[in-house]
Amino acid sequence: MTLALSVPRARALSPVLPVVAVVALLGLPSAPGGEGGAGPADALSALVVLFCAVRLLRQRRRPLSRTAAVVLGLPVVGLALAALGASSPGAGLTGLGRYLQIFVLVPASVVLLVRDRSDFRVLAWSFVGLAGWQGAVGVHQFVTGTGASYQGEDIRAVGTFGPQDVMGMATVVSFGLICAVGLALGRTSPRQRAVAACCALALLAPLALSFSRGAWIATALTLTVQLALAGLRRALKAAAVAVAAGMILVGGFGVGSAMLQQRVSSITQVTDAPDQSVTDRYTMWAAAIGMWREQPLTGVGLKGFPEHRDAHASLALSSASDTEGAGSGFVRQPLLSPHNMYLLVLAEQGLIGLLALAGGWLALLACGLRGWFRVRRSGPGLDCALVACGLLLWQLIDFMYADIGGPSTVLTAVVFGVAAWWALAGADAVGSLREEARTR
């Protein structure tokens, strides 16, 4: 029995390895004090798209099925209209390129480069590996007091992303945790399932120390759904282990227990006694809705939210947040988005753009769940179904309080590609029994 973690032999290198390299590049540290824009992983993702295009031309085959082409190409309609309505051609082209990268080009490339479920598992393990690295850095930051500032102390775990992208590490660790749980609940070799389970337990600590309420909520809901999809017996066993691990971490070792309890309790206080960050978020949500009411069908144009924000926001908005620590000095970071992907799309692309983007995402989720239905009993690929559906579900929940931006955004593109492969190709794959046998 061997894990599906071994590097492929030179004569059989998988075309998915460039995508794995994109994931690996996110382990590099961000520049201190940087603005959190595009980084090396984004540049490599562009090369992956080019590599995929060249590969298709050499093979001279039809790249995507009709269903895949429609689902993945649907957002282009709303994006094109929103780009035409941008305040300037430069803003329209910049926004169009970013959206196409994240929601169309990179996901389509992942669909085309993943050959089978073995490739899928290699990509899933790369998520786990990146999460382990970022989580280790984050725990070290908490222990040594070298993290981002939180309540006057430099203890917030942010990994290598820095304080300008405080959600970066939380996002990466959440993805890794979901992949590890999906792999642990599958029907592959016992050794692989055991390693995945250990990785999942280890990732609970850095996720907690990220102090990210949004990541906690999305991860808890996603893991609940994954356990339900895996079956009652597996769900009960995994839940018992998770509860025991949580009690050991917080109760036994006292890992930030007071601050964690305070952070958890603040989730229920967002309406009774909201802090300034919650107030800012509500204010920007209201501003986004105001923009949409002015242009309900096509929105105010790509990259238009910052320009129209002050005209629609109330005086309660602080307009910037304070960030420091983790190797960076004090920075006032402007609030240039509503921190809600659905409202951002609604404000800048209108109903047409939202229906195109969200409609494609829901189609992927429906097709992914259909694939899970096929393998839920005894068929191979249950771990792939749990990973793909879990990642997509987490992202859709996360979009309720976050949007795209920062170095970790390219990982969102890979996530949509992973979900799209299972939903549009992997669930219907034939001839995978030999691959399954090699993992047993």
Side-chain angles (χ1 to χ4, degrees):
M1 296 182 295
T2 58
L3 288 176
L5 299 175
S6 57
V7 178
R9 295 181 179 179
R11 62 182 176 82
L13 287 176
S14 169
V16 82
L17 292 181
V19 185
V20 174
V22 172
V23 177
L25 275 183
L26 288 171
L28 297 178
S30 302
E35 295 299 326
D42 291 278
L44 183 56
S45 72
L47 294 178
V48 169
V49 174
L50 180 61
F51 166 72
C52 183
V54 172
R55 187 168 177 265
L56 289 177
L57 291 175
R58 291 185 60 184
Q59 294 180 347
R60 297 180 180 180
R61 65 183 180 88
R62 182 178 177 179
L64 295 170
S65 66
R66 291 182 180 178
T67 302
V70 170
V71 173
L72 294 175
L74 193 59
V76 177
V77 178
L79 291 174
L81 291 174
L84 293 174
S87 59
S88 67
L93 289 175
T94 302
L96 179 62
R98 186 62 161 166
Y99 273 95
L100 288 178
Q101 173 204 10
I102 302 303
F103 299 117
V104 179
L105 297 178
V106 174
S109 298
V110 174
V111 172
L112 294 169
L113 293 176
V114 175
R115 299 173 303 182
D116 49 40
R117 290 166 185 165
S118 295
D119 282 356
F120 183 98
R121 294 187 183 100
V122 170
L123 193 51
W125 277 111
S126 72
F127 275 78
V128 178
L130 175 64
W133 162 246
Q134 292 288 356
V137 174
V139 171
H140 178 266
Q141 290 170 334
F142 176 83
V143 173
T144 60
T146 56
S149 178
Y150 178 76
Q151 294 186 355
E153 300 181 60
D154 293 342
I155 59 172
R156 187 170 190 176
V158 292
T160 64
F161 293 101
Q164 279 74 43
D165 188 12
V166 293
M167 280 292 295
M169 190 211 74
T171 299
V172 167
V173 171
S174 298
F175 286 157
L177 178 58
I178 290 167
C179 288
V181 170
L183 292 167
L185 295 174
R187 300 189 182 96
T188 53
S189 67
R191 184 184 300 178
Q192 178 166 288
R193 295 199 302 269
V195 172
C198 292
C199 291
L201 293 176
L203 291 174
L204 291 175
L207 179 61
L209 298 178
S210 70
F211 296 105
S212 175
R213 293 170 294 195
W216 295 346
I217 295 172
T219 304
L221 293 176
T222 301
L223 294 183
T224 301
V225 172
Q226 279 186 306
L227 293 174
L229 295 179
L232 180 60
R233 182 179 300 177
R234 284 190 174 96
L236 292 176
K237 291 180 179 179
V241 172
V243 171
M247 293 177 63
I248 293 174
L249 281 173
V250 179
F253 295 113
V255 179
S257 57
M259 290 185 175
L260 286 175
Q261 291 174 5
Q262 182 181 2
R263 192 67 167 169
V264 171
S265 63
S266 68
I267 295 175
T268 61
Q269 298 172 357
V270 294
T271 55
D272 298 333
D275 55 30
Q276 185 59 48
S277 64
V278 175
T279 300
D280 288 340
R281 184 162 301 186
Y282 285 165
T283 304
M284 290 189 293
W285 288 2
I289 294 175
M291 296 177 201
W292 165 67
R293 286 174 177 169
E294 284 190 359
Q295 300 287 339
L297 289 180
T298 58
V300 298
L302 294 180
K303 298 287 185 178
F305 183 87
E307 181 180 349
H308 294 80
R309 184 198 64 184
D310 293 340
H312 295 85
S314 69
L315 296 177
L317 182 65
S318 63
S319 75
S321 60
D322 301 338
T323 63
E324 61 179 325
S328 177
F330 178 82
V331 176
R332 288 280 291 171
Q333 191 170 5
L335 302 176
L336 302 179
S337 71
H339 294 292
N340 181 305
M341 191 65 200
Y342 303 108
L343 292 180
L344 176 62
V345 173
L346 190 64
E348 294 186 345
Q349 303 179 41
L351 280 175
I352 295 177
L354 181 62
L355 290 176
L357 268 173
W361 300 339
L362 291 178
L364 289 180
L365 184 60
C367 292
L369 290 174
R370 183 191 63 179
W372 161 80
F373 185 80
R374 293 180 179 179
V375 302
R376 75 191 193 283
R377 293 294 184 185
S378 58
L382 177 62
D383 55 335
C384 299
L386 295 176
V387 168
C389 294
L391 289 176
L392 180 58
L393 182 61
W394 189 96
Q395 192 62 74
L396 296 183
I397 297 173
D398 177 74
F399 275 165
M400 295 180 183
Y401 46 80
D403 47 49
I404 58 175
S408 59
T409 299
V410 69
L411 201 61
T412 298
V414 179
V415 163
F416 277 108
V418 167
W421 181 83
W422 172 256
L424 303 173
D428 298 322
V430 180
S432 295
L433 293 178
R434 183 172 57 184
E435 301 160 17
E436 296 294 329
R438 287 201 301 264
T439 64
R440 296 185 182 278

